[in-house]
Amino acid sequence: MNYNAIKINSVNSFMRAFIILLILVAQVSCSDEDLDIHAFEDDSRITTLNGTWKVVSFEDFSTMEVQYPTEENSWGEEIVITFDDTKSPNELSGSNTTNQISAEFDYLGERQIVVGIIISTQIAQPEWADKFTEAMGDSDLAFKINSKSLRIYYENNTKSVTFIKV
């Protein structure tokens, strides 16, 4: 019986299994769908929402799911919103996929806002737009912000919508 041949075969089998495992882990780790939804770097020096922002995802913390725009849920359209607190009253405006949207907003305290009545036609709009209108219509909105992204939390901080600066 050749113990060296058995030993080499065992090592080769182990190495193959180890390489396959590494490839699988790398594929899962690099997936766009695999996002640590709790990780968001807040920059306390930024105190205003001013700017133009594009929605890139919706997060549900209770199910740990992240939804990104697809042809099916957004019809290939984007949500691009401008917050402007240099006007009186503060203004939120932009496009909610297939429709225009506008509203007033106020800061309620540190990292909290409330959005007034949202004006939008909401005619024949995709699910993506409905989710945004639902999120902004919540009476208790909190946010985190940095120079590149904004996250607004709703439904008692169990859900959020994430934007990138445009």
Side-chain angles (χ1 to χ4, degrees), residues 37 39-42 48-61 79 81-83 91-92 104-107 111-115 118 131-146 149-164:
I37 63 176
F40 190 94
E41 189 174 324
D42 189 40
T48 178
L49 297 177
N50 282 345
T52 302
W53 303 91
K54 179 173 82 170
V55 173
V56 292
S57 64
F58 289 93
E59 299 80 27
D60 186 327
F61 299 104
I79 300 172
I81 300 298
T82 299
F83 287 93
E91 184 179 280
L92 175 156
E104 296 174 4
F105 76 96
D106 283 310
Y107 297 102
R111 301 294 202 229
Q112 292 184 315
I113 62 169
V114 64
V115 175
I118 297 172
K131 286 179 77 81
F132 182 74
T133 303
E134 175 189 331
M136 293 298 100
D138 194 305
S139 62
D140 183 24
L141 300 173
F143 68 89
K144 291 182 180 179
I145 189 170
N146 60 50
S149 52
L150 164 67
R151 181 172 283 168
I152 296 180
Y153 298 85
Y154 60 103
E155 286 192 24
N156 296 317
N157 295 329
T158 63
K159 295 183 178 182
S160 65
V161 55
T162 300
F163 304 76
I164 58 170

Short mmCIF file of all heavy atoms in Angstrom, two decimals, residues 37 39-42 48-61 79 81-83 91-92 104-107 111-115 118 131-146 149-164:
data_model
loop_
_atom_site.label_atom_id
_atom_site.label_comp_id
_atom_site.label_asym_id
_atom_site.label_seq_id
_atom_site.Cartn_x
_atom_site.Cartn_y
_atom_site.Cartn_z
N ILE A 37 -26.83 46.66 5.65
CA ILE A 37 -27.76 47.78 5.64
C ILE A 37 -27.68 48.62 6.91
O ILE A 37 -28.20 49.73 6.94
CB ILE A 37 -29.21 47.33 5.36
CG1 ILE A 37 -29.75 46.41 6.44
CG2 ILE A 37 -29.31 46.68 4.00
CD1 ILE A 37 -31.20 46.03 6.24
N ALA A 39 -24.78 49.57 8.18
CA ALA A 39 -23.58 50.40 8.07
C ALA A 39 -23.87 51.63 7.21
O ALA A 39 -24.21 51.51 6.04
CB ALA A 39 -22.44 49.59 7.45
N PHE A 40 -23.79 52.78 7.82
CA PHE A 40 -23.93 54.04 7.09
C PHE A 40 -23.17 55.08 7.88
O PHE A 40 -23.43 55.31 9.05
CB PHE A 40 -25.40 54.46 6.96
CG PHE A 40 -25.57 55.61 6.02
CD1 PHE A 40 -25.87 55.39 4.69
CD2 PHE A 40 -25.41 56.92 6.46
CE1 PHE A 40 -26.00 56.46 3.81
CE2 PHE A 40 -25.54 57.98 5.59
CZ PHE A 40 -25.85 57.75 4.26
N GLU A 41 -22.20 55.69 7.22
CA GLU A 41 -21.34 56.66 7.90
C GLU A 41 -22.02 58.03 7.91
O GLU A 41 -22.22 58.64 6.86
CB GLU A 41 -19.99 56.75 7.19
CG GLU A 41 -18.99 57.57 7.95
CD GLU A 41 -17.63 57.52 7.29
OE1 GLU A 41 -17.26 56.46 6.75
OE2 GLU A 41 -16.95 58.55 7.32
N ASP A 42 -22.41 58.49 9.09
CA ASP A 42 -23.05 59.78 9.26
C ASP A 42 -21.98 60.83 9.55
O ASP A 42 -21.09 60.60 10.36
CB ASP A 42 -24.05 59.70 10.42
CG ASP A 42 -24.92 60.94 10.52
OD1 ASP A 42 -25.33 61.47 9.47
OD2 ASP A 42 -25.19 61.38 11.65
N THR A 48 -27.62 69.97 6.77
CA THR A 48 -28.70 70.27 5.84
C THR A 48 -28.82 69.18 4.79
O THR A 48 -27.84 68.53 4.45
CB THR A 48 -28.46 71.64 5.17
OG1 THR A 48 -29.50 71.89 4.23
CG2 THR A 48 -27.12 71.68 4.47
N LEU A 49 -30.02 69.00 4.30
CA LEU A 49 -30.26 68.03 3.23
C LEU A 49 -30.07 68.63 1.85
O LEU A 49 -30.21 67.93 0.84
CB LEU A 49 -31.68 67.47 3.32
CG LEU A 49 -32.04 66.70 4.58
CD1 LEU A 49 -33.51 66.28 4.54
CD2 LEU A 49 -31.16 65.49 4.74
N ASN A 50 -29.77 69.92 1.78
CA ASN A 50 -29.67 70.63 0.50
C ASN A 50 -28.87 69.85 -0.53
O ASN A 50 -27.81 69.32 -0.24
CB ASN A 50 -29.03 72.01 0.69
CG ASN A 50 -30.01 73.01 1.25
OD1 ASN A 50 -31.21 72.78 1.25
ND2 ASN A 50 -29.49 74.12 1.74
N GLY A 51 -29.42 69.81 -1.73
CA GLY A 51 -28.75 69.15 -2.83
C GLY A 51 -29.70 68.28 -3.61
O GLY A 51 -30.87 68.13 -3.26
N THR A 52 -29.17 67.73 -4.68
CA THR A 52 -29.94 66.84 -5.53
C THR A 52 -29.47 65.42 -5.28
O THR A 52 -28.27 65.15 -5.28
CB THR A 52 -29.79 67.24 -7.01
OG1 THR A 52 -30.23 68.59 -7.15
CG2 THR A 52 -30.61 66.33 -7.91
N TRP A 53 -30.43 64.52 -5.08
CA TRP A 53 -30.15 63.15 -4.67
C TRP A 53 -30.92 62.17 -5.53
O TRP A 53 -32.06 62.41 -5.90
CB TRP A 53 -30.59 62.96 -3.21
CG TRP A 53 -29.94 63.90 -2.26
CD1 TRP A 53 -30.41 65.13 -1.87
CD2 TRP A 53 -28.73 63.71 -1.55
NE1 TRP A 53 -29.55 65.70 -0.97
CE2 TRP A 53 -28.51 64.85 -0.75
CE3 TRP A 53 -27.80 62.67 -1.51
CZ2 TRP A 53 -27.41 64.99 0.08
CZ3 TRP A 53 -26.69 62.81 -0.68
CH2 TRP A 53 -26.51 63.95 0.10
N LYS A 54 -30.30 61.03 -5.82
CA LYS A 54 -30.94 59.95 -6.58
C LYS A 54 -31.13 58.73 -5.68
O LYS A 54 -30.20 58.31 -4.99
CB LYS A 54 -30.08 59.57 -7.79
CG LYS A 54 -30.68 58.43 -8.62
CD LYS A 54 -29.91 58.20 -9.89
CE LYS A 54 -28.70 57.35 -9.63
NZ LYS A 54 -28.03 56.89 -10.85
N VAL A 55 -32.32 58.17 -5.70
CA VAL A 55 -32.60 56.96 -4.91
C VAL A 55 -31.89 55.77 -5.53
O VAL A 55 -32.01 55.52 -6.74
CB VAL A 55 -34.13 56.69 -4.83
CG1 VAL A 55 -34.41 55.36 -4.15
CG2 VAL A 55 -34.83 57.83 -4.10
N VAL A 56 -31.15 55.04 -4.69
CA VAL A 56 -30.43 53.85 -5.18
C VAL A 56 -30.93 52.55 -4.56
O VAL A 56 -30.69 51.48 -5.09
CB VAL A 56 -28.91 53.97 -4.98
CG1 VAL A 56 -28.34 55.07 -5.87
CG2 VAL A 56 -28.54 54.19 -3.53
N SER A 57 -31.64 52.65 -3.41
CA SER A 57 -32.14 51.42 -2.80
C SER A 57 -33.15 51.73 -1.71
O SER A 57 -33.19 52.83 -1.16
CB SER A 57 -31.00 50.58 -2.22
OG SER A 57 -30.35 51.27 -1.17
N PHE A 58 -33.94 50.70 -1.42
CA PHE A 58 -34.83 50.70 -0.26
C PHE A 58 -34.41 49.55 0.62
O PHE A 58 -34.17 48.45 0.13
CB PHE A 58 -36.30 50.52 -0.68
CG PHE A 58 -36.89 51.71 -1.37
CD1 PHE A 58 -36.86 51.82 -2.75
CD2 PHE A 58 -37.48 52.73 -0.64
CE1 PHE A 58 -37.40 52.92 -3.39
CE2 PHE A 58 -38.03 53.83 -1.26
CZ PHE A 58 -37.98 53.93 -2.64
N GLU A 59 -34.34 49.78 1.93
CA GLU A 59 -33.90 48.76 2.88
C GLU A 59 -35.03 48.44 3.85
O GLU A 59 -35.73 49.34 4.30
CB GLU A 59 -32.67 49.23 3.66
CG GLU A 59 -31.47 49.53 2.81
CD GLU A 59 -31.50 50.89 2.12
OE1 GLU A 59 -32.14 51.82 2.64
OE2 GLU A 59 -30.88 51.02 1.04
N ASP A 60 -35.17 47.17 4.18
CA ASP A 60 -36.12 46.72 5.19
C ASP A 60 -35.31 46.00 6.26
O ASP A 60 -34.78 44.91 6.03
CB ASP A 60 -37.16 45.79 4.57
CG ASP A 60 -38.26 45.40 5.54
OD1 ASP A 60 -37.99 45.28 6.76
OD2 ASP A 60 -39.39 45.21 5.08
N PHE A 61 -35.20 46.62 7.44
CA PHE A 61 -34.35 46.08 8.50
C PHE A 61 -34.96 44.86 9.20
O PHE A 61 -34.24 44.06 9.76
CB PHE A 61 -34.03 47.17 9.53
CG PHE A 61 -33.27 48.31 8.92
CD1 PHE A 61 -33.91 49.51 8.65
CD2 PHE A 61 -31.94 48.18 8.58
CE1 PHE A 61 -33.22 50.56 8.07
CE2 PHE A 61 -31.25 49.23 8.00
CZ PHE A 61 -31.89 50.42 7.73
N ILE A 79 -35.63 58.04 -9.53
CA ILE A 79 -36.17 59.03 -8.60
C ILE A 79 -35.03 59.97 -8.28
O ILE A 79 -34.02 59.56 -7.71
CB ILE A 79 -36.70 58.36 -7.31
CG1 ILE A 79 -37.81 57.37 -7.64
CG2 ILE A 79 -37.18 59.43 -6.32
CD1 ILE A 79 -38.25 56.52 -6.46
N ILE A 81 -34.42 63.72 -6.53
CA ILE A 81 -35.09 64.71 -5.69
C ILE A 81 -34.09 65.79 -5.28
O ILE A 81 -32.94 65.50 -4.98
CB ILE A 81 -35.65 64.02 -4.42
CG1 ILE A 81 -36.66 62.94 -4.80
CG2 ILE A 81 -36.25 65.04 -3.46
CD1 ILE A 81 -37.87 63.44 -5.53
N THR A 82 -34.58 67.02 -5.21
CA THR A 82 -33.77 68.13 -4.71
C THR A 82 -34.40 68.63 -3.41
O THR A 82 -35.60 68.91 -3.36
CB THR A 82 -33.70 69.28 -5.73
OG1 THR A 82 -33.08 68.79 -6.91
CG2 THR A 82 -32.90 70.45 -5.19
N PHE A 83 -33.59 68.71 -2.37
CA PHE A 83 -33.98 69.33 -1.12
C PHE A 83 -33.40 70.74 -1.13
O PHE A 83 -32.21 70.92 -1.42
CB PHE A 83 -33.43 68.57 0.09
CG PHE A 83 -34.10 67.27 0.36
CD1 PHE A 83 -33.60 66.09 -0.17
CD2 PHE A 83 -35.22 67.21 1.17
CE1 PHE A 83 -34.21 64.87 0.09
CE2 PHE A 83 -35.84 66.00 1.44
CZ PHE A 83 -35.33 64.83 0.90
N GLU A 91 -38.23 73.30 0.46
CA GLU A 91 -38.86 72.63 -0.68
C GLU A 91 -38.18 71.32 -1.05
O GLU A 91 -36.96 71.23 -1.07
CB GLU A 91 -38.81 73.59 -1.87
CG GLU A 91 -39.50 73.10 -3.11
CD GLU A 91 -39.42 74.13 -4.23
OE1 GLU A 91 -40.20 75.09 -4.20
OE2 GLU A 91 -38.55 73.97 -5.11
N LEU A 92 -38.99 70.32 -1.34
CA LEU A 92 -38.55 69.04 -1.90
C LEU A 92 -39.19 68.98 -3.28
O LEU A 92 -40.41 69.17 -3.40
CB LEU A 92 -39.05 67.91 -1.01
CG LEU A 92 -38.83 66.46 -1.43
CD1 LEU A 92 -38.85 65.57 -0.20
CD2 LEU A 92 -39.84 65.97 -2.42
N GLU A 104 -43.35 70.41 0.70
CA GLU A 104 -42.60 71.22 1.66
C GLU A 104 -42.06 70.28 2.72
O GLU A 104 -42.65 69.21 2.96
CB GLU A 104 -43.51 72.26 2.30
CG GLU A 104 -44.04 73.27 1.32
CD GLU A 104 -45.06 74.22 1.95
OE1 GLU A 104 -45.30 74.13 3.18
OE2 GLU A 104 -45.61 75.03 1.19
N PHE A 105 -40.94 70.65 3.34
CA PHE A 105 -40.43 69.86 4.45
C PHE A 105 -39.89 70.78 5.52
O PHE A 105 -39.55 71.94 5.26
CB PHE A 105 -39.36 68.85 3.98
CG PHE A 105 -38.02 69.45 3.69
CD1 PHE A 105 -37.01 69.44 4.66
CD2 PHE A 105 -37.74 70.03 2.46
CE1 PHE A 105 -35.77 70.00 4.39
CE2 PHE A 105 -36.50 70.58 2.19
CZ PHE A 105 -35.51 70.57 3.15
N ASP A 106 -39.83 70.27 6.74
CA ASP A 106 -39.28 71.01 7.87
C ASP A 106 -38.37 70.10 8.67
O ASP A 106 -38.60 68.89 8.75
CB ASP A 106 -40.40 71.51 8.80
CG ASP A 106 -41.12 72.72 8.25
OD1 ASP A 106 -40.43 73.67 7.84
OD2 ASP A 106 -42.37 72.70 8.21
N TYR A 107 -37.37 70.72 9.27
CA TYR A 107 -36.52 70.01 10.22
C TYR A 107 -37.23 70.02 11.55
O TYR A 107 -37.69 71.06 12.01
CB TYR A 107 -35.15 70.69 10.34
CG TYR A 107 -34.34 70.69 9.07
CD1 TYR A 107 -34.26 71.82 8.26
CD2 TYR A 107 -33.67 69.54 8.66
CE1 TYR A 107 -33.51 71.82 7.10
CE2 TYR A 107 -32.92 69.53 7.49
CZ TYR A 107 -32.86 70.67 6.71
OH TYR A 107 -32.13 70.67 5.56
N ARG A 111 -31.43 65.63 13.05
CA ARG A 111 -31.52 64.47 12.15
C ARG A 111 -32.95 63.96 11.99
O ARG A 111 -33.17 62.77 11.78
CB ARG A 111 -30.61 63.34 12.58
CG ARG A 111 -29.12 63.71 12.65
CD ARG A 111 -28.64 63.99 11.27
NE ARG A 111 -27.20 63.86 11.11
CZ ARG A 111 -26.46 64.78 10.52
NH1 ARG A 111 -26.98 65.89 10.10
NH2 ARG A 111 -25.16 64.58 10.36
N GLN A 112 -33.92 64.87 12.03
CA GLN A 112 -35.32 64.50 11.81
C GLN A 112 -35.99 65.53 10.92
O GLN A 112 -35.74 66.73 11.03
CB GLN A 112 -36.09 64.42 13.13
CG GLN A 112 -35.65 63.29 14.02
CD GLN A 112 -36.52 63.22 15.26
OE1 GLN A 112 -36.80 64.23 15.88
NE2 GLN A 112 -36.93 62.01 15.61
N ILE A 113 -36.85 65.03 10.03
CA ILE A 113 -37.64 65.91 9.17
C ILE A 113 -39.07 65.42 9.10
O ILE A 113 -39.37 64.27 9.45
CB ILE A 113 -37.07 65.99 7.73
CG1 ILE A 113 -37.10 64.62 7.04
CG2 ILE A 113 -35.69 66.61 7.71
CD1 ILE A 113 -36.81 64.66 5.54
N VAL A 114 -39.93 66.31 8.64
CA VAL A 114 -41.30 65.94 8.31
C VAL A 114 -41.58 66.53 6.94
O VAL A 114 -41.17 67.65 6.63
CB VAL A 114 -42.32 66.43 9.37
CG1 VAL A 114 -42.36 67.94 9.44
CG2 VAL A 114 -43.70 65.86 9.10
N VAL A 115 -42.22 65.75 6.09
CA VAL A 115 -42.57 66.18 4.74
C VAL A 115 -44.07 66.47 4.74
O VAL A 115 -44.86 65.65 5.21
CB VAL A 115 -42.22 65.09 3.69
CG1 VAL A 115 -42.71 65.50 2.31
CG2 VAL A 115 -40.71 64.85 3.69
N ILE A 118 -47.58 65.77 -0.16
CA ILE A 118 -46.83 65.51 -1.39
C ILE A 118 -47.75 65.75 -2.58
O ILE A 118 -48.84 65.19 -2.66
CB ILE A 118 -46.27 64.08 -1.41
CG1 ILE A 118 -45.27 63.90 -0.25
CG2 ILE A 118 -45.63 63.76 -2.75
CD1 ILE A 118 -44.79 62.48 -0.06
N LYS A 131 -43.21 53.22 -3.53
CA LYS A 131 -42.41 53.03 -2.31
C LYS A 131 -41.84 54.36 -1.81
O LYS A 131 -41.81 54.63 -0.62
CB LYS A 131 -41.27 52.03 -2.55
CG LYS A 131 -41.71 50.60 -2.65
CD LYS A 131 -40.55 49.67 -2.91
CE LYS A 131 -39.74 49.41 -1.69
NZ LYS A 131 -40.24 48.41 -0.77
N PHE A 132 -41.40 55.19 -2.74
CA PHE A 132 -40.84 56.48 -2.35
C PHE A 132 -41.91 57.38 -1.75
O PHE A 132 -41.69 58.02 -0.71
CB PHE A 132 -40.18 57.17 -3.55
CG PHE A 132 -39.54 58.47 -3.18
CD1 PHE A 132 -38.35 58.48 -2.47
CD2 PHE A 132 -40.13 59.68 -3.51
CE1 PHE A 132 -37.75 59.68 -2.09
CE2 PHE A 132 -39.55 60.87 -3.15
CZ PHE A 132 -38.36 60.87 -2.43
N THR A 133 -43.07 57.46 -2.38
CA THR A 133 -44.15 58.28 -1.87
C THR A 133 -44.57 57.81 -0.48
O THR A 133 -44.79 58.62 0.43
CB THR A 133 -45.36 58.25 -2.83
OG1 THR A 133 -44.93 58.67 -4.12
CG2 THR A 133 -46.49 59.13 -2.35
N GLU A 134 -44.64 56.50 -0.29
CA GLU A 134 -44.97 55.93 1.02
C GLU A 134 -43.92 56.32 2.05
O GLU A 134 -44.25 56.73 3.16
CB GLU A 134 -45.06 54.41 0.92
CG GLU A 134 -45.27 53.70 2.24
CD GLU A 134 -45.13 52.20 2.12
OE1 GLU A 134 -45.40 51.64 1.05
OE2 GLU A 134 -44.73 51.57 3.13
N ALA A 135 -42.66 56.22 1.69
CA ALA A 135 -41.58 56.54 2.63
C ALA A 135 -41.63 58.01 3.04
O ALA A 135 -41.57 58.34 4.23
CB ALA A 135 -40.23 56.21 2.01
N MET A 136 -41.74 58.90 2.08
CA MET A 136 -41.72 60.33 2.38
C MET A 136 -42.99 60.79 3.09
O MET A 136 -43.00 61.83 3.75
CB MET A 136 -41.53 61.16 1.10
CG MET A 136 -40.18 60.98 0.44
SD MET A 136 -38.80 61.51 1.46
CE MET A 136 -38.22 59.95 2.10
N GLY A 137 -44.06 60.01 2.97
CA GLY A 137 -45.31 60.35 3.63
C GLY A 137 -45.36 59.98 5.10
O GLY A 137 -46.29 60.36 5.82
N ASP A 138 -44.36 59.27 5.59
CA ASP A 138 -44.31 58.89 7.00
C ASP A 138 -44.14 60.15 7.85
O ASP A 138 -43.43 61.08 7.48
CB ASP A 138 -43.13 57.94 7.24
CG ASP A 138 -43.20 57.24 8.58
OD1 ASP A 138 -43.29 57.94 9.61
OD2 ASP A 138 -43.13 56.01 8.61
N SER A 139 -44.78 60.18 9.00
CA SER A 139 -44.74 61.37 9.84
C SER A 139 -43.50 61.46 10.71
O SER A 139 -43.26 62.48 11.34
CB SER A 139 -45.99 61.42 10.73
OG SER A 139 -46.01 60.28 11.58
N ASP A 140 -42.70 60.40 10.75
CA ASP A 140 -41.53 60.38 11.62
C ASP A 140 -40.31 59.94 10.83
O ASP A 140 -39.97 58.76 10.79
CB ASP A 140 -41.78 59.42 12.80
CG ASP A 140 -40.65 59.40 13.79
OD1 ASP A 140 -39.89 60.38 13.87
OD2 ASP A 140 -40.51 58.39 14.50
N LEU A 141 -39.65 60.89 10.17
CA LEU A 141 -38.51 60.59 9.33
C LEU A 141 -37.22 61.02 10.02
O LEU A 141 -37.09 62.16 10.46
CB LEU A 141 -38.61 61.31 7.98
CG LEU A 141 -39.82 60.99 7.11
CD1 LEU A 141 -39.87 61.91 5.90
CD2 LEU A 141 -39.80 59.54 6.68
N ALA A 142 -36.27 60.10 10.07
CA ALA A 142 -34.94 60.42 10.58
C ALA A 142 -33.98 60.27 9.42
O ALA A 142 -34.29 59.63 8.41
CB ALA A 142 -34.57 59.45 11.71
N PHE A 143 -32.80 60.86 9.53
CA PHE A 143 -31.84 60.73 8.44
C PHE A 143 -30.42 60.70 8.94
O PHE A 143 -30.10 61.16 10.04
CB PHE A 143 -32.02 61.84 7.41
CG PHE A 143 -31.66 63.23 7.87
CD1 PHE A 143 -30.37 63.72 7.73
CD2 PHE A 143 -32.62 64.04 8.45
CE1 PHE A 143 -30.04 65.00 8.15
CE2 PHE A 143 -32.30 65.33 8.87
CZ PHE A 143 -31.00 65.81 8.73
N LYS A 144 -29.57 60.13 8.10
CA LYS A 144 -28.12 60.18 8.23
C LYS A 144 -27.61 60.67 6.89
O LYS A 144 -28.19 60.37 5.85
CB LYS A 144 -27.53 58.81 8.55
CG LYS A 144 -27.88 58.29 9.93
CD LYS A 144 -27.22 56.95 10.20
CE LYS A 144 -27.56 56.43 11.59
NZ LYS A 144 -26.93 55.11 11.82
N ILE A 145 -26.51 61.42 6.94
CA ILE A 145 -26.02 62.04 5.71
C ILE A 145 -24.50 62.13 5.75
O ILE A 145 -23.91 62.27 6.83
CB ILE A 145 -26.66 63.44 5.52
CG1 ILE A 145 -26.35 64.02 4.15
CG2 ILE A 145 -26.28 64.38 6.64
CD1 ILE A 145 -27.16 65.28 3.82
N ASN A 146 -23.90 62.03 4.58
CA ASN A 146 -22.48 62.34 4.44
C ASN A 146 -22.32 63.03 3.08
O ASN A 146 -23.31 63.32 2.42
CB ASN A 146 -21.59 61.10 4.62
CG ASN A 146 -21.87 60.00 3.62
OD1 ASN A 146 -21.93 60.24 2.41
ND2 ASN A 146 -22.06 58.78 4.12
N SER A 149 -23.76 60.45 0.28
CA SER A 149 -25.02 59.72 0.36
C SER A 149 -25.89 60.20 1.51
O SER A 149 -25.44 60.84 2.45
CB SER A 149 -24.77 58.22 0.45
OG SER A 149 -23.87 57.91 1.47
N LEU A 150 -27.15 59.85 1.39
CA LEU A 150 -28.19 60.23 2.34
C LEU A 150 -29.06 59.01 2.58
O LEU A 150 -29.39 58.29 1.64
CB LEU A 150 -29.04 61.38 1.76
CG LEU A 150 -30.38 61.69 2.40
CD1 LEU A 150 -30.19 62.25 3.80
CD2 LEU A 150 -31.15 62.68 1.53
N ARG A 151 -29.41 58.77 3.82
CA ARG A 151 -30.34 57.68 4.13
C ARG A 151 -31.44 58.26 5.00
O ARG A 151 -31.17 58.86 6.03
CB ARG A 151 -29.65 56.52 4.83
CG ARG A 151 -30.63 55.37 5.12
CD ARG A 151 -29.95 54.14 5.63
NE ARG A 151 -29.31 53.44 4.52
CZ ARG A 151 -28.45 52.44 4.67
NH1 ARG A 151 -28.11 52.04 5.88
NH2 ARG A 151 -27.92 51.84 3.63
N ILE A 152 -32.69 58.07 4.56
CA ILE A 152 -33.85 58.52 5.31
C ILE A 152 -34.57 57.29 5.84
O ILE A 152 -34.90 56.37 5.09
CB ILE A 152 -34.79 59.38 4.45
CG1 ILE A 152 -34.05 60.66 4.04
CG2 ILE A 152 -36.07 59.70 5.19
CD1 ILE A 152 -34.86 61.60 3.17
N TYR A 153 -34.79 57.28 7.15
CA TYR A 153 -35.42 56.16 7.84
C TYR A 153 -36.90 56.47 8.06
O TYR A 153 -37.26 57.60 8.39
CB TYR A 153 -34.75 55.93 9.20
CG TYR A 153 -33.30 55.56 9.10
CD1 TYR A 153 -32.31 56.54 8.99
CD2 TYR A 153 -32.91 54.23 9.07
CE1 TYR A 153 -30.98 56.19 8.88
CE2 TYR A 153 -31.58 53.88 8.95
CZ TYR A 153 -30.62 54.86 8.86
OH TYR A 153 -29.29 54.51 8.73
N TYR A 154 -37.74 55.44 7.90
CA TYR A 154 -39.17 55.60 8.10
C TYR A 154 -39.74 54.34 8.75
O TYR A 154 -39.01 53.39 9.01
CB TYR A 154 -39.88 55.96 6.79
CG TYR A 154 -39.76 54.96 5.67
CD1 TYR A 154 -40.81 54.10 5.35
CD2 TYR A 154 -38.60 54.85 4.91
CE1 TYR A 154 -40.72 53.19 4.32
CE2 TYR A 154 -38.49 53.95 3.86
CZ TYR A 154 -39.56 53.12 3.58
OH TYR A 154 -39.46 52.21 2.56
N GLU A 155 -41.05 54.35 9.01
CA GLU A 155 -41.74 53.26 9.72
C GLU A 155 -40.99 52.88 10.99
O GLU A 155 -40.56 51.73 11.17
CB GLU A 155 -41.96 52.05 8.82
CG GLU A 155 -43.07 52.27 7.81
CD GLU A 155 -43.50 51.00 7.11
OE1 GLU A 155 -43.32 49.88 7.63
OE2 GLU A 155 -44.06 51.14 6.00
N ASN A 156 -40.83 53.88 11.89
CA ASN A 156 -40.15 53.69 13.18
C ASN A 156 -38.75 53.12 13.00
O ASN A 156 -38.32 52.24 13.75
CB ASN A 156 -40.98 52.80 14.11
CG ASN A 156 -42.28 53.45 14.48
OD1 ASN A 156 -42.32 54.65 14.77
ND2 ASN A 156 -43.37 52.70 14.45
N ASN A 157 -38.04 53.62 12.01
CA ASN A 157 -36.66 53.22 11.72
C ASN A 157 -36.52 51.75 11.33
O ASN A 157 -35.43 51.19 11.41
CB ASN A 157 -35.73 53.53 12.89
CG ASN A 157 -35.61 55.01 13.12
OD1 ASN A 157 -35.70 55.82 12.20
ND2 ASN A 157 -35.40 55.40 14.37
N THR A 158 -37.60 51.12 10.87
CA THR A 158 -37.51 49.74 10.41
C THR A 158 -37.23 49.63 8.93
O THR A 158 -36.91 48.57 8.42
CB THR A 158 -38.81 48.95 10.73
OG1 THR A 158 -39.89 49.55 10.01
CG2 THR A 158 -39.09 48.94 12.23
N LYS A 159 -37.36 50.77 8.22
CA LYS A 159 -37.11 50.81 6.78
C LYS A 159 -36.34 52.08 6.46
O LYS A 159 -36.36 53.04 7.21
CB LYS A 159 -38.42 50.79 5.98
CG LYS A 159 -39.19 49.50 6.16
CD LYS A 159 -40.43 49.50 5.30
CE LYS A 159 -41.18 48.17 5.46
NZ LYS A 159 -42.37 48.14 4.61
N SER A 160 -35.67 52.07 5.31
CA SER A 160 -34.98 53.28 4.88
C SER A 160 -34.92 53.34 3.36
O SER A 160 -35.12 52.35 2.68
CB SER A 160 -33.57 53.35 5.47
OG SER A 160 -32.75 52.32 4.98
N VAL A 161 -34.65 54.54 2.89
CA VAL A 161 -34.40 54.78 1.47
C VAL A 161 -33.03 55.44 1.39
O VAL A 161 -32.73 56.35 2.16
CB VAL A 161 -35.50 55.64 0.83
CG1 VAL A 161 -35.72 56.94 1.54
CG2 VAL A 161 -35.23 55.89 -0.65
N THR A 162 -32.18 54.94 0.50
CA THR A 162 -30.82 55.44 0.38
C THR A 162 -30.66 56.18 -0.95
O THR A 162 -31.09 55.70 -1.99
CB THR A 162 -29.80 54.29 0.49
OG1 THR A 162 -29.95 53.68 1.76
CG2 THR A 162 -28.38 54.80 0.35
N PHE A 163 -30.02 57.34 -0.86
CA PHE A 163 -29.78 58.22 -2.00
C PHE A 163 -28.27 58.39 -2.20
O PHE A 163 -27.51 58.28 -1.24
CB PHE A 163 -30.31 59.62 -1.73
CG PHE A 163 -31.75 59.74 -1.36
CD1 PHE A 163 -32.20 59.40 -0.10
CD2 PHE A 163 -32.67 60.26 -2.27
CE1 PHE A 163 -33.53 59.55 0.26
CE2 PHE A 163 -34.00 60.41 -1.92
CZ PHE A 163 -34.44 60.05 -0.64
N ILE A 164 -27.87 58.73 -3.41
CA ILE A 164 -26.52 59.19 -3.66
C ILE A 164 -26.62 60.61 -4.20
O ILE A 164 -27.62 60.99 -4.83
CB ILE A 164 -25.73 58.30 -4.64
CG1 ILE A 164 -26.44 58.18 -5.99
CG2 ILE A 164 -25.45 56.95 -4.02
CD1 ILE A 164 -25.60 57.52 -7.07
#
